[in-house]
Amino acid sequence: MLIKNLMQFLTTSLKLSIILPTIVFLCSCFETKTSKAPIQLNGQTMGTSYNITIIDNPQDLSASRLKHLVENELAAINNQMSNWNSNSEITLINKNSSDKVIPISQQLLEVLTAANEIHDKSDGSFDITSAPIINLWGFGPNNANKTVPSQKEIDKALNLVGQADLIRITNNPSTLVKQKKGVLINLSAIAKGYGIDRVASLLEMYDIKRFLVEIGGDLIASGTNRHGKPWSIGIEFPNYERRTVQSIVKVDDLAMATSGNYKNFFKKDGIQYSHIIDPKTGSPIQHNTVSVTVLTKSAMFADGWATAMLAMGIENGMRMANKYGIAVFFITNDDKTFITGSSDAFKALSQGKF
């Protein structure tokens, strides 16, 4: 298949979510005369951009109508999940210093339940109560100055980290209880993926089966592209200045998320400090894994697992990926040379056996 020029590099700095390496979309050069042109929707959401390609449209909805539906859905999610929205549900929960029962939405319960699953399976490498240490290092919603805190400050912040012990959720009714005053929740590593899943579900409600939804570099692909082929997705080479494709994967009915440490960081005394914070140590990761791409059926789980895998690094992350059958693609920096590694499930995916 002939490959058209790269359509788009998505390098916008994200506010709702952790900064992610670019994912690039590739398509065929040829157009079929008998097929309808895909509907393209794009705009701004969650502090970044969204891009949606719709192939089939059985109810013949107009582009303006579809965009209205999508943006209403995204606005609703932002009002629930955004740590950057001063009136969002999660922000109001964080402002609540009580240790009493707090009623929460069913949507937030769904995200918290998924976060607990990833936290448990990753042995704590994914932790939504990491907000105090994220804020301490200057990567939080208040845009604080990025400085290297003292170990005493890190230890103090770590007293409020550990979602397994610090938050309790219940279903029917949907509630949350903070086990310690001062607990803060940051959903930046999972909420954007949830938003992608919600938009996908919205499209499916209107019998739309072939589409691609991308927000800030994370995506979900349903069905095939307009030529009946799997969607071709490029994973960016982990060097912001080069902006080239490291690898291409073909996906259908899968979600994909990438987390990297080479775009959002600061340097102090010659040391680079990434926005990816290890919730166990309270400090930015220092290993040589620079990018992790995860493919799952859910964008929410892909989003969360990508962060967890990057926090773990390739050695521990690969063991975890193979243990749970997760398709993961790692890129590591070995003395200025980039080396890739793939989990068993990712290899099977590349061979069409996933």
Side-chain angles (χ1 to χ4, degrees):
M1 178 188 300
L2 295 178
I3 301 299
K4 195 177 180 180
N5 62 305
L6 298 183
M7 293 179 63
Q8 183 175 14
F9 275 95
L10 305 167
T11 53
T12 306
S13 294
L14 310 183
K15 292 181 180 178
L16 173 64
S17 67
I18 295 174
I19 306 300
L20 300 176
T22 301
I23 293 178
V24 185
F25 308 103
L26 308 173
C27 70
S28 169
C29 291
F30 299 110
E31 304 292 341
T32 57
K33 294 181 180 179
T34 57
S35 62
K36 279 187 177 181
I39 294 177
Q40 303 284 350
L41 307 176
N42 56 76
Q44 299 296 311
T45 186
M46 303 179 180
T48 185
S49 62
Y50 74 84
N51 294 275
I52 300 172
T53 300
I54 296 172
I55 305 300
D56 59 345
N57 183 16
Q59 298 188 25
D60 203 26
L61 299 174
S62 67
S64 59
R65 173 62 175 160
L66 285 165
K67 185 168 184 176
H68 176 75
L69 292 168
V70 166
E71 294 198 340
N72 279 352
E73 189 75 9
L74 291 171
I77 297 164
N78 196 60
N79 287 334
Q80 292 172 319
M81 312 290 175
S82 175
N83 289 96
W84 276 258
N85 183 334
S86 60
N87 294 312
S88 71
E89 181 179 8
I90 197 62
T91 298
L92 295 178
I93 289 171
N94 282 341
K95 290 178 180 178
N96 188 335
S97 60
S98 170
D99 56 2
K100 306 300 182 183
V101 174
I102 304 172
I104 61 175
S105 66
Q106 183 63 32
Q107 292 78 18
L108 181 58
L109 176 66
E110 184 178 346
V111 172
L112 295 178
T113 301
N116 280 344
E117 180 180 337
I118 299 171
H119 175 80
D120 292 342
K121 289 184 175 179
S122 67
D123 292 334
S125 292
F126 179 87
D127 198 312
I128 58 173
T129 61
S130 295
I133 53 176
I134 293 173
N135 296 340
L136 182 64
W137 285 89
F139 293 108
N142 295 325
N143 295 320
N145 291 329
K146 294 176 174 59
T147 58
V148 179
S150 67
Q151 188 60 50
K152 183 178 180 180
E153 291 173 313
I154 293 173
D155 291 340
K156 182 180 178 180
L158 281 174
N159 286 327
L160 293 173
V161 177
Q163 71 186 67
D165 298 321
L166 295 179
I167 59 173
R168 290 287 182 270
I169 57 174
T170 64
N171 190 8
N172 195 25
S174 302
T175 66
L176 177 147
V177 178
K178 299 180 183 181
Q179 301 296 96
K180 185 185 291 187
K181 290 184 178 180
V183 170
L184 301 174
I185 297 172
N186 188 305
L187 299 177
S188 60
I190 194 169
K192 180 160 58 64
Y194 176 72
I196 294 170
D197 287 337
R198 283 275 296 272
V199 171
S201 295
L202 172 70
L203 296 178
E204 289 169 352
M205 284 176 55
Y206 291 91
D207 298 322
I208 298 170
K209 305 298 184 184
R210 298 167 63 198
F211 58 80
L212 188 146
V213 177
E214 174 271 323
I215 302 178
D218 293 351
L219 61 90
I220 191 165
S222 177
T224 54
N225 64 21
R226 68 176 304 174
H227 306 290
K229 303 293 184 180
W231 300 86
S232 294
I233 312 296
I235 302 173
E236 186 186 46
F237 183 84
N239 184 313
Y240 181 73
E241 295 180 355
R242 289 185 58 175
R243 302 179 68 181
T244 57
V245 174
Q246 172 73 40
S247 183
I248 296 173
V249 294
K250 296 183 181 297
V251 298
D252 53 35
D253 298 327
L254 279 177
M256 179 173 169
T258 302
S259 185
N261 69 354
Y262 60 96
K263 288 183 179 177
N264 190 15
F265 61 87
F266 70 92
K267 288 186 176 182
K268 180 71 173 179
D269 298 328
I271 300 175
Q272 179 171 306
Y273 297 95
S274 166
H275 70 291
I276 302 295
I277 310 292
D278 186 338
K280 298 178 181 179
T281 65
S283 298
I285 59 173
Q286 292 296 326
H287 54 66
N288 64 349
T289 302
V290 295
S291 175
V292 176
T293 296
V294 175
L295 291 101
T296 67
K297 292 293 185 180
S298 160
M300 175 173 61
F301 278 95
D303 195 6
W305 270 115
T307 300
M309 292 290 176
L310 185 54
M312 284 185 276
I314 187 170
E315 184 175 347
N316 292 328
M318 188 71 79
R319 283 199 298 266
M320 198 70 65
N322 288 333
K323 177 180 180 180
Y324 293 112
I326 305 171
V328 187
F329 181 77
F330 297 88
I331 303 178
T332 61
N333 188 348
D334 183 18
D335 193 23
K336 298 183 179 181
T337 298
F338 290 105
I339 300 174
T340 64
S342 303
S343 69
D344 294 341
F346 189 93
K347 292 175 183 176
L349 175 67
S350 65
Q351 296 169 5
K353 300 177 182 179
F354 184 64

